[in-house]
Amino acid sequence: MAGGRRGPVRVGAALGALLCALHVQAACRDTTVTQELLKEGFHRDLLVKVELGEDAGGCAVAAQMRLPPGIYVDPYELATLQQHNLTKAMLFPDVIDVEAPEYLAEALVLLLFLEPDARCSRCFGAAVPVHARYHRPARGTRQAVVALQSPEVLLCCCHRHLSAECWEPAEVDTPCSSDTNSPCQWHTTKHRPAYEESMLRVPVGLREHSSLVCALTLLTTGLCSGLILAAACKYGHFSQ
């Protein structure tokens, strides 16, 4: 009899815990994140939009993105944009080789501060220029695919308390604003929305054409060098 009673009790407790978890998730899962790559070619704009499940109430909202080696943000361009108040962001590391190809580059972390939307109290967004790196020639395809993961939504509230059911502290050692160095705790959503990756397709050369490209490059280099040398000998003035 005792064992028979424990069964329904355990089932009831498990069902109650499940319903409670579903209730909490339903209350916190309204945050939506969208990202879009604008323009065409190697130089694009990454647009990020966030709609929170609750009013931000004066909190700072940011999107943290991990950029793979195939794509980068130019720190010099970013500094110029910030000087003109066109965007606010922090880049880690802040020293980047913008000339490095994809196979010699490192992944980056971008913290993009989002601006509120005047038409929606829970909506935020921002855009930042991104650039594709050159890739190795591929075999059988003219495109390389760079998968850009969806950003992580961060909230920083120095003057209000966030619900522990929906938000948890994030390991982000960055001020709440790019304009100040005052520390404050960032939080991230516990119940993250369904994220979708954005795909950036980068044109690449065909490995089958490597021999032809090398031969034409050597031929062109030799021809141009010969023309320059001939012109120098014909029109140059050499001291005796």
Side-chain angles (χ1 to χ4, degrees):
M1 292 294 292
R5 288 178 186 154
R6 287 199 195 99
V9 171
R10 290 175 179 173
V11 172
L15 182 59
L18 178 61
L19 291 175
C20 182
L22 291 174
H23 174 73
V24 171
Q25 185 173 357
C28 304
R29 68 183 179 185
D30 293 330
T31 297
T32 59
V33 185
T34 59
Q35 64 178 356
E36 182 180 2
L37 286 167
L38 308 177
K39 302 180 181 178
E40 298 293 335
F42 279 81
H43 309 287
R44 314 286 285 269
D45 284 341
L46 178 60
L47 175 63
V48 179
K49 294 182 179 180
V50 171
E51 183 175 356
L52 300 175
E54 58 182 289
D55 194 338
C59 300
V61 182
Q64 181 172 259
M65 292 163 280
R66 289 169 175 81
L67 304 180
I71 193 171
Y72 71 96
V73 174
D74 188 337
Y76 306 103
E77 181 182 23
L78 185 61
T80 301
L81 292 173
Q82 294 194 115
Q83 287 178 357
H84 294 85
N85 294 322
L86 297 177
T87 189
K88 294 181 180 180
M90 301 188 72
L91 200 58
F92 307 96
D94 56 355
V95 178
I96 300 171
D97 185 358
V98 298
E99 301 295 337
E102 177 269 341
Y103 49 88
L104 295 179
E106 298 180 351
L108 307 172
V109 175
L110 175 68
L111 185 66
L112 181 62
F113 295 89
L114 306 182
E115 297 294 332
D117 189 337
R119 299 166 297 180
C120 174
S121 61
R122 300 183 302 168
C123 302
F124 298 81
V128 64
V130 294
H131 310 277
R133 294 186 183 274
Y134 291 105
H135 288 61
R136 292 182 185 273
R139 189 178 300 277
T141 179
R142 293 182 179 272
Q143 289 183 333
V145 177
V146 179
L148 189 60
Q149 297 180 354
S150 186
E152 178 183 2
V153 180
L154 298 174
L155 206 62
C156 187
C157 300
C158 295
H159 306 292
R160 59 171 287 199
H161 178 71
L162 293 173
S163 171
E165 296 177 343
C166 302
W167 301 89
E168 62 183 356
E171 296 181 0
V172 179
D173 187 17
T174 304
C176 280
S177 172
S178 60
D179 300 328
T180 179
N181 293 323
S182 58
C184 193
Q185 178 64 57
W186 285 94
H187 290 78
T188 183
T189 55
K190 280 188 174 181
H191 306 284
R192 293 175 175 80
Y195 291 148
E196 294 184 1
E197 291 183 340
S198 295
M199 299 297 178
L200 174 63
R201 302 187 183 278
V202 182
V204 297
L206 289 174
R207 189 173 298 177
E208 293 87 344
H209 295 167
S210 297
S211 299
L212 178 61
V213 171
C214 290
L216 289 176
T217 301
L218 289 174
L219 180 61
T220 303
T221 303
L223 179 60
C224 293
S225 299
L227 292 174
I228 294 173
L229 181 61
C233 292
K234 183 176 182 180
Y235 300 106
H237 300 281
F238 303 96
S239 59
Q240 298 295 330

